[in-house]
Amino acid sequence: MELLRNFFFLLALYLLQGSNTSFVRLDNNGYEGIIIAIDPAVPEDETLIEQIKDMVTAASTYLFEATEKRFFFKNVSILIPEKWKNITQYKRPKHESYKHADVLVSPPTLPGRDEPYTKQFTACGEKGEYIHFTHDFVLGKKQNEFGPSGRLFVHEWAHLRWGVFDEYNDAEPFYSVNTKKIEATRCSTGITGINRVYKCQGNSCVTNKCKIDSKTKLYQKDCQFFPDKYQTEKTSIMFMQGIGSVAEFCNEKNHNREAPSVQNKMCNFRSTWEVISNSEDFRNTVVMVAPPPPPVFSLLKISERIVCFVLDKSGSMANSNRLNRMNQAAKHFLLQTVENGSWVGMVHFDSTAYIKSNLIQIISSNERRKILKSLPTVASGGTSICSGIQSGLEAIRNAYFQTDGSEIVLLTDGEDSSAKTCIDKVKQSGAIIHLIALGPNADQAVIEMSKVTGGEHLFATDEAQNNGLIDAFAALASGNTDASQKSLQLESKGLKLDSNGWMNGTVIIDSTVGKDTFFLITWNQQLPVISLLDPTGKSVGNFSVDSASKMAYLSIPGTAKVGAWTYSLQAKRNSETLTITVNSQAANSSVPPITVNAKMNKDTNSFPSPMIVYAEILQGYIPILGANVTAFIESNTGKIEVLELLDNGAGADSFKNDGVYSRYFTTYKENGRYSLKVRAHGGENAVTRNLRHPLNRAAYIPGWVVDGNIEGNPPRPEIDENTQTNLESFTRTASGGAFVVSNVPSLSSVTDVFPPSQITDLEATSDDDEISLTWTAPGDDFDVGKVRKYIIRISGSILDLRDNFDNALQVNTTDLLPKEANSKETFTFKRGNISEENATHIFIAIQSVDKSNLTSKVSNIAQAALFVPQADYMPDEIPPGSSPDKNPPKSRLSISILVVLVVGAVITVSLILSITICVLSRKRNSSRPRTGF
């Protein structure tokens, strides 16, 4: 029995590598299971489906050639919104949903923002989240600005699948190389073009030379690189795949390691092909001989939600108040979370299973209350998980529904050695299994069912004050419902209280939510005194009390008032446990609500490997900055670790100000399951919407150079960052699911195994002979604590510093005292012995050392200019439609002639004077002896 249990536990660990929700798999060089989802907000247009097919078909051929005949797209599912009309060829999805989509086709993030991008916030070589296309881009309306859609899909696929980055950098579009010339950031340098300022007003466009910024010694920010339209260079797809000749990724031989590209910064100067070649995909394939077949497409249309509860009522559910807590959480789900129009049924199981309610469609509160009566009231018997699942599928079929795409919410607190016997049937059914594991002994083998079917794996302990069970059910909102129709969790808190103890707090309802606002109070022994005040201070009462389930709830009619709602709960019994949960929906379907999504970077881990917590805060697709975000990680026994998550671009956080808040998690105390919950709070005048262009987006082509002339594209819509407005206060909570940790040593045997995190935001500026550095302090253990010292080294060669850091010139850091992790560090030093004759820039890197002499990875490499580089020469202005050599206007021609005449006269006079002086000098010194060295 123990051997069998360990086998399935290891199998689950294997299946749970990584927490990316994609179903893409590689089979005989072909990618299968790709999901392209059309957002419900996209207007119905069957042409869009055909354009998606054309895009993927063209991309498959381009990908095959770009990867040296290794990869192609084999089959793709296109997810069609529920509101689009029904067509016979549309099928019902199985596990395919918006949550698992690899590509989202939706309206632009902001009006005019049609740039394709990939949501990518993990390290180099790790998979991204999803690709975002607008429907106008897919329909071919933005080809001039971004290039053919098939080629661009391959660019974004490389982000998504292989974790490579762009070989340009809008933040650092130019750099200076050893030739002392300013170059555009690109790969490879074989891509030709010119650097110009190109501005249009109405129908008139003017081209000017680029001016040099006095601080950076590079071109000012209005300068752009315009590529020649006709080229012969084949690399690189991650720079500008829209160039006709580009058909390959940069490799080790032609990669530009000097450019400050995002790829160089994130991947330690490795080329994209080096990263791709090191991927698991590459290792598991061989070069194909014959060309691949075209992709096969499946058209899947979202339909009504079908959910069947399969609830454990075995004898162990009588322990630790589990049965009643399960009923409280299930009632909250039925009253508040499950969407109108859904079909819901219920099955109980112990040693056998019982269908307690066939599927009922939720139309009003009447159907919700009817299903509530089917919840179990007595715990007894054994545990037969497969019986429960099979009865759940039977209940679905009894209502004449397909099991494809239906959902089973399985809650269990025990182990069942026979659970493995129905795994194949579950796969064949097409149903989605959501596992809620309650307590420390819930069956491990069922994890496989949830993983392979696209379901959630959630976990709650017996510590009721942590509210984990209600959070788990609340996390099961539909993956295919628009955010404006979902129930969002604003608050989830609990406390253990002594006699006459109080639980007080506030819940903020912001203007993006307020519809169907729902307050839920639970207790363990006796109904507490409940006080709730709205933002005006008016008392709000009339809670509905369910004494049997020990819960009270209140629905606010209409739209709740915006502001802080204050609650006070007074316990009437000793050692009482109270919880409060608050949910609400979007106030206006046309205004996206603020949402929080949480996850770990892995679903399973083995000590001492660190994990990373991620929480993303968005309004629609727009990142929210400046929030206070806290992660609560609960272990198998109910112990909680609290982490402040940061969006500072340091430590575990890959990109600053992208709305993704991150932190390392290393404080494992025990083996087994852990659960994640995140709480986000935005204070008034502290949080903003990030209106900048998204990161990891396709390069916008400003125009082409043809026969020396710039043929410009319409300017990219720009928004001044300073025009961003502050958001009002808000609160949100979100469950991040469960994960499993193994091989945790006992506390007595733990040694320091965690080094400081890598510094990734080192910046340098130069002023005369001094270099000033700034960076974010790492910690003794990744991003916690304080390092013992810093090692700073410099070089005149970026590659020498990267490859031979330990041999580079070391800077004296005796006076540099490290600060606590996540503090801002500054340091200034003299430039030293690097001369301007030998180098154009000084390159600097840092390594951190902790108290156990563990060293961090070498930081990103910063650079400081030593001189003003050479700028491109061109006349001050070129009128539209002409080049420097053709048809200059009369006014500029006369100025040019005048300049030539003046310069010629000066040269002539200077030459005559020089000859005269030379002749006279020879006459005077003809008899003087020669001297010299």
Side-chain angles (χ1 to χ4, degrees):
M1 174 67 184
E2 185 66 25
L3 181 63
L4 188 64
R5 182 188 306 165
N6 289 339
F7 169 77
F8 275 98
F9 181 69
L10 291 173
L11 176 62
L13 292 183
Y14 171 77
L15 291 168
L16 290 173
Q17 294 299 316
S19 63
N20 186 278
T21 57
S22 174
F23 284 105
V24 175
R25 59 194 175 276
L26 187 63
D27 180 43
N28 292 326
N29 297 75
Y31 287 110
E32 298 182 328
I34 301 166
I35 302 173
I36 300 179
I38 301 173
D39 191 281
V42 172
E44 184 166 356
D45 184 355
E46 289 185 39
T47 306
L48 184 63
I49 297 174
E50 296 306 313
Q51 291 293 100
I52 291 173
K53 292 180 179 179
D54 292 344
M55 174 181 71
V56 176
T57 302
S60 184
T61 302
Y62 190 59
L63 176 69
F64 183 69
E65 296 299 330
T67 56
E68 299 178 356
K69 305 186 187 309
R70 279 188 180 268
F71 305 118
F72 66 98
F73 297 125
K74 184 178 288 187
N75 65 58
V76 177
S77 296
I78 301 176
L79 211 54
I80 299 164
E82 184 176 1
K83 292 182 179 179
W84 286 29
K85 65 184 179 184
N86 289 317
I87 297 178
T88 54
Q89 68 207 63
Y90 295 167
K91 305 300 180 184
R92 181 180 172 88
K94 292 185 178 180
H95 54 245
E96 297 88 354
S97 70
Y98 287 97
K99 177 182 176 181
H100 300 288
D102 305 288
V103 181
L104 292 173
V105 180
S106 72
T109 305
L110 290 170
R113 291 279 188 87
D114 285 282
E115 62 264 82
Y117 67 89
T118 300
K119 193 67 180 182
Q120 186 180 12
F121 49 74
T122 50
C124 179
E126 296 183 9
K127 294 179 176 64
E129 299 297 302
Y130 59 82
I131 297 168
H132 184 279
F133 291 141
T134 67
H135 55 287
D136 276 355
F137 168 77
V138 177
L139 290 171
K141 298 178 182 180
K142 303 295 176 180
Q143 183 164 314
N144 287 341
E145 294 92 331
F146 298 106
S149 61
R151 286 169 164 252
L152 195 139
F153 186 30
V154 173
H155 175 104
E156 300 303 331
W157 183 261
H159 282 306
L160 181 74
R161 186 67 186 178
W162 302 311
V164 299
F165 294 86
D166 293 319
E167 288 172 334
Y168 47 85
N169 188 344
D170 284 348
E172 298 180 66
F174 296 98
Y175 68 103
S176 179
V177 294
N178 288 330
T179 59
K180 298 188 178 182
K181 182 181 178 182
I182 299 176
E183 289 277 7
T185 301
R186 65 195 189 281
C187 188
S188 74
T189 52
I191 297 292
T192 58
I194 58 175
N195 306 316
R196 297 292 184 265
V197 177
Y198 183 79
K199 293 184 177 180
C200 297
Q201 188 171 5
N203 295 324
S204 177
C205 297
V206 176
T207 305
N208 291 329
K209 68 179 181 180
C210 297
K211 296 180 180 179
I212 292 179
D213 185 282
S214 59
K215 292 184 179 180
T216 65
K217 310 298 190 292
L218 299 172
Y219 290 135
Q220 293 178 347
K221 65 178 183 179
D222 57 354
C223 182
Q224 298 181 87
F225 174 74
F226 291 84
D228 292 324
K229 188 168 187 177
Y230 304 107
Q231 314 230 11
T232 58
E233 180 61 40
K234 292 186 177 181
T235 56
S236 169
I237 291 170
M238 297 312 293
F239 171 63
M240 196 174 286
Q241 75 294 320
I243 296 173
S245 63
V246 168
E248 299 174 0
F249 295 100
C250 268
N251 56 40
E252 191 172 6
K253 294 180 180 179
N254 54 31
H255 179 57
N256 179 7
R257 286 175 170 78
E258 294 182 314
S261 65
V262 184
Q263 171 69 18
N264 276 338
K265 288 176 178 290
M266 295 297 295
C267 297
N268 194 27
F269 303 93
R270 288 183 297 160
S271 68
T272 53
W273 189 245
E274 288 175 81
V275 177
I276 294 170
S277 300
N278 196 44
S279 68
E280 184 180 359
D281 288 354
F282 195 92
R283 292 194 297 269
N284 291 334
T285 54
V286 295
V287 174
M288 294 176 62
V289 177
V296 175
F297 296 92
S298 301
L299 304 183
L300 308 175
K301 186 173 180 292
I302 300 297
S303 55
E304 65 274 308
R305 188 180 189 190
I306 300 169
V307 183
C308 187
F309 286 97
V310 176
L311 304 179
D312 189 344
K313 59 167 289 294
S314 61
S316 57
M317 288 294 290
N319 300 331
S320 303
N321 196 32
R322 290 176 184 171
L323 188 72
N324 188 60
R325 288 179 56 221
M326 177 184 73
N327 287 346
Q328 290 173 343
K331 287 182 178 182
H332 179 258
F333 178 88
L334 289 168
L335 289 171
Q336 181 63 22
T337 304
V338 71
E339 303 79 9
N340 277 336
S342 302
W343 291 80
V344 181
M346 187 172 296
V347 168
H348 302 171
F349 72 93
D350 43 45
S351 302
T352 57
Y354 321 86
I355 298 176
K356 304 301 291 184
S357 174
N358 284 312
L359 295 183
I360 299 174
Q361 188 172 27
I362 304 296
I363 299 173
S364 66
S365 58
N366 293 332
E367 292 80 19
R368 297 176 188 269
R369 293 192 186 97
K370 184 176 181 180
I371 301 174
L372 288 177
K373 296 177 182 178
S374 302
L375 288 166
T377 55
V378 178
S380 63
T383 303
S384 177
I385 291 172
C386 282
S387 295
I389 292 175
Q390 288 167 4
S391 292
L393 296 173
E394 182 183 345
I396 294 168
R397 294 189 186 102
N398 287 345
Y400 303 103
F401 284 113
Q402 297 178 10
T403 53
D404 283 351
S406 61
E407 299 171 64
I408 288 180
V409 177
L410 171 66
L411 184 145
T412 181
D413 74 336
E415 294 180 325
D416 177 8
S417 60
S418 65
K420 65 183 184 297
T421 61
C422 58
I423 290 177
D424 287 339
K425 287 185 178 179
V426 168
K427 291 179 184 177
Q428 293 167 10
S429 72
I432 299 166
I433 308 296
H434 302 297
L435 168 63
I436 300 177
L438 176 57
N441 298 317
D443 199 276
Q444 298 282 1
V446 188
I447 298 175
E448 182 189 353
M449 293 187 196
S450 63
K451 182 65 176 179
V452 299
T453 64
E456 298 282 355
H457 172 210
L458 301 154
F459 168 59
T461 69
D462 289 325
E463 299 296 322
Q465 73 275 10
N466 296 338
N467 215 25
L469 203 49
I470 289 177
D471 293 338
F473 273 92
L476 296 177
S478 172
N480 291 324
T481 300
D482 186 84
S484 65
Q485 306 300 318
K486 287 185 180 180
S487 179
L488 305 175
Q489 203 167 29
L490 308 187
E491 185 62 278
S492 170
K493 282 185 178 180
L495 279 178
K496 279 186 176 179
L497 300 170
D498 294 327
S499 177
N500 297 319
W502 288 83
M503 178 177 169
N504 303 316
T506 59
V507 178
I508 298 171
I509 296 180
D510 59 278
S511 63
T512 70
V513 293
K515 180 184 175 184
D516 293 336
T517 302
F518 187 84
F519 288 80
L520 172 68
I521 311 294
T522 72
W523 59 91
N524 190 39
Q525 298 185 69
Q526 186 174 345
L527 172 68
V529 177
I530 302 173
S531 171
L532 178 64
L533 304 178
D534 72 12
T536 66
K538 180 182 177 181
S539 177
V540 181
N542 299 321
F543 274 75
S544 298
V545 177
D546 182 344
S547 299
S549 296
K550 298 178 181 177
M551 56 190 286
Y553 51 89
L554 173 68
S555 291
I556 305 298
T559 302
K561 292 178 181 178
V562 172
W565 291 63
T566 304
Y567 62 85
S568 296
L569 310 178
Q570 184 184 17
K572 292 183 179 179
R573 299 285 295 273
N574 292 330
S575 302
E576 182 64 280
T577 299
L578 302 178
T579 74
I580 182 169
T581 308
V582 184
N583 286 67
S584 191
Q585 292 187 21
N588 187 331
S589 60
S590 62
V591 178
I594 296 169
T595 59
V596 176
N597 298 302
K599 61 176 279 186
M600 303 297 295
N601 69 319
K602 304 174 185 177
D603 287 329
T604 185
N605 196 45
S606 178
F607 184 90
S609 176
M611 296 188 73
I612 300 176
V613 189
Y614 295 111
E616 183 178 27
I617 308 179
L618 300 170
Q619 186 179 13
Y621 291 104
I622 301 174
I624 302 299
L625 313 182
N628 296 315
V629 185
T630 307
F632 301 87
I633 300 174
E634 186 177 5
S635 72
N636 212 35
T637 56
K639 297 175 183 177
I640 290 183
E641 293 288 334
V642 180
L643 282 175
E644 179 188 4
L645 307 186
L646 303 172
D647 185 14
N648 60 355
D653 195 64
S654 296
F655 297 100
K656 184 176 181 179
N657 291 339
D658 65 346
V660 179
Y661 299 72
S662 317
R663 200 70 183 271
Y664 283 107
F665 173 58
T666 59
T667 51
Y668 314 127
K669 296 296 191 298
E670 55 193 273
N671 291 311
R673 280 189 179 95
Y674 289 72
S675 67
L676 167 66
K677 179 164 72 175
V678 165
R679 178 175 293 120
H681 169 69
E684 190 173 1
N685 299 321
V687 288
T688 61
R689 296 193 304 163
N690 184 349
L691 302 180
R692 293 177 300 177
H693 294 278
L695 299 168
N696 304 314
R697 63 184 181 273
Y700 183 90
I701 303 168
W704 301 100
V705 178
V706 180
D707 295 331
N709 298 316
I710 292 176
E711 296 180 353
N713 282 322
R716 181 171 60 184
E718 296 289 350
I719 293 181
D720 187 351
E721 295 177 34
N722 297 324
T723 64
Q724 294 187 42
T725 56
N726 291 339
L727 291 179
E728 61 200 298
S729 299
F730 71 89
T731 55
R732 297 287 188 277
T733 63
S735 172
F739 60 98
V740 180
V741 176
S742 59
N743 296 323
V744 178
S746 63
L747 291 176
S748 59
S749 61
V750 172
T751 58
D752 187 358
V753 295
F754 300 116
S757 59
Q758 181 187 24
I759 295 169
T760 57
D761 61 349
L762 178 65
E763 294 183 357
T765 56
S766 60
D767 185 12
D768 295 331
D769 64 341
E770 286 189 337
I771 305 295
S772 295
L773 305 177
T774 61
W775 68 94
T776 301
D780 181 86
D781 293 340
F782 289 104
D783 53 11
V784 176
K786 183 167 60 176
V787 301
R788 183 170 62 87
K789 67 175 182 177
Y790 294 112
I791 299 172
I792 302 178
R793 296 183 184 275
I794 61 175
S795 175
S797 166
I798 190 171
L799 299 182
D800 284 348
L801 187 60
R802 183 200 69 168
D803 297 333
N804 300 291
F805 177 81
D806 291 337
N807 296 323
L809 181 64
Q810 186 169 348
V811 176
N812 186 344
T813 57
T814 304
D815 297 330
L816 177 55
L817 301 177
K819 297 179 182 178
E820 285 291 327
N822 300 304
S823 302
K824 184 59 68 176
E825 297 273 28
T826 59
F827 182 67
T828 301
F829 64 95
K830 297 289 185 181
R831 195 166 67 196
N833 298 324
I834 296 180
S835 64
E836 295 185 15
E837 290 79 13
N838 297 326
T840 62
H841 285 71
I842 287 180
F843 298 96
I844 310 106
I846 303 181
Q847 195 172 47
S848 310
V849 184
D850 71 8
K851 62 179 180 292
S852 300
N853 284 326
L854 298 176
T855 57
S856 69
K857 294 180 180 179
V858 176
S859 72
N860 67 296
I861 297 177
Q863 63 183 46
L866 301 178
F867 73 105
V868 177
Q870 296 175 2
D872 292 343
Y873 170 78
M874 74 166 289
D876 285 342
E877 187 178 34
I878 302 176
S882 66
S883 70
D885 303 316
K886 297 178 181 180
N887 305 321
K890 292 180 180 180
S891 58
R892 233 185 64 197
L893 182 62
S894 59
I895 293 173
S896 301
I897 293 173
L898 180 60
V899 170
V900 171
L901 290 174
V902 171
V903 172
V906 171
I907 292 174
T908 303
V909 172
S910 300
L911 185 60
I912 294 171
L913 288 173
S914 298
I915 293 172
T916 304
I917 292 170
C918 182
V919 171
L920 293 173
S921 177
R922 285 184 177 180
K923 287 183 178 180
R924 290 195 195 100
N925 300 319
S926 59
S927 60
R928 187 178 298 171
R930 297 182 63 185
T931 61
F933 294 102

